[in-house]
Amino acid sequence: MQPPADLRRGQASIEWLTILVVAAALLTTTALAITHTAAVQTIAKRLGVEASPPPASTLALGEALSGHAGGVSLAGARAWLAESIGIVAADQQIRAAIVARLPERHPAWLADLTIRTLPSRSGSRYVVAHGTGDVSTRLVTASDEAGFAAISTTGKDRAVATATELGWDGAGTIARRIARPLGLAISAVHLLTSMTSGDAPQPAGTRADDILLCRPVALLMSTQTTRSSIPLAQGWRVGVLRHDELILDAIATNNPCKGPAGSNEPAGPSQN
């Protein structure tokens, strides 16, 4: 017959083994749950460690911004990044990537823009848009595109809706501010610097994955003979990228990058 002490020791060993198995199962379940939730970002933030996106998602973002055929859409790249680092960090990374590409891909959009040449007895005078702040961006979403489609039934309607969204309907305000001190009649049309229809009749800024670029500018008057400039008005330089092509470059009275979805405010040094 086994002594009572040995029986108790054997029973205790079985209990400890059971506890270890249960604890291991709980740890495994918890680890899996943390991996598939935002707990990783929360814990990393509290520990002072920034969560890093997987290299594949960063590569997908680069391809999406380049407009490669068959690549992941910008919306898809944003969702992929958000799964790893959260929505806020994903939007910040997308904005940083867009702005970082501008000096190489679209340097003319960052440079001063001559809007209008004015004849003068003393020589030509120029109305120039000079960047005064950081670039903000907005990614047009599928819901934004659906909204435009719902209220715009024809190409003309879509163009009007786009003009309202981007502030072109207020371009006349800037024109009057320029014309008043010069005693000239400047049409608001001259404030729209260039616009192309792109590869489809879908107006710029209304298709999902269109990228809106916005930068505050000062409208100045300068001459060939002097380096001094006279301030005339304030506005916004607006650009629209579609498949990495600049399909719109215009001056607006408001900031269309302040939108409900995919909106990113400036968070870096200005590029003058």
Side-chain angles (χ1 to χ4, degrees), residues 197-209:
S197 60
D199 56 357
Q202 189 86 4
T206 64
R207 174 183 285 183
D209 276 3

Side-chain angles (χ1 to χ4, degrees), residues 2 23 47 57 91 93 96 107 111-112 137 196 202 262:
Q2 187 178 17
L47 293 177
S57 64
D91 287 342
Q93 180 165 336
D112 287 354
T137 66
T196 62
Q202 189 86 4

Side-chain angles (χ1 to χ4, degrees), residues 14-28:
I14 295 174
E15 291 176 352
W16 273 110
L17 180 60
T18 302
I19 292 173
L20 290 175
V21 171
V22 172
L26 288 174
L27 287 174
T28 301

Side-chain angles (χ1 to χ4, degrees), residues 216-227:
V217 294
L219 301 180
L220 310 171
M221 185 184 69
S222 62
T223 66
Q224 291 178 325
T225 58
T226 178
R227 295 183 179 180

Side-chain angles (χ1 to χ4, degrees), residues 66-123:
S66 299
H68 289 168
V72 178
S73 66
L74 273 172
R78 179 174 182 263
W80 194 348
L81 288 170
E83 288 180 355
S84 305
I85 59 177
I87 294 177
V88 174
D91 287 342
Q92 290 175 347
Q93 180 165 336
I94 292 173
R95 179 197 171 269
I98 293 171
V99 174
R101 291 170 55 87
L102 289 178
E104 178 181 357
R105 292 290 301 148
H106 306 285
W109 191 84
L110 293 172
D112 287 354
L113 174 69
T114 300
I115 299 175
R116 180 72 187 269
T117 301
L118 307 174
S120 173
R121 293 181 179 179
S122 58

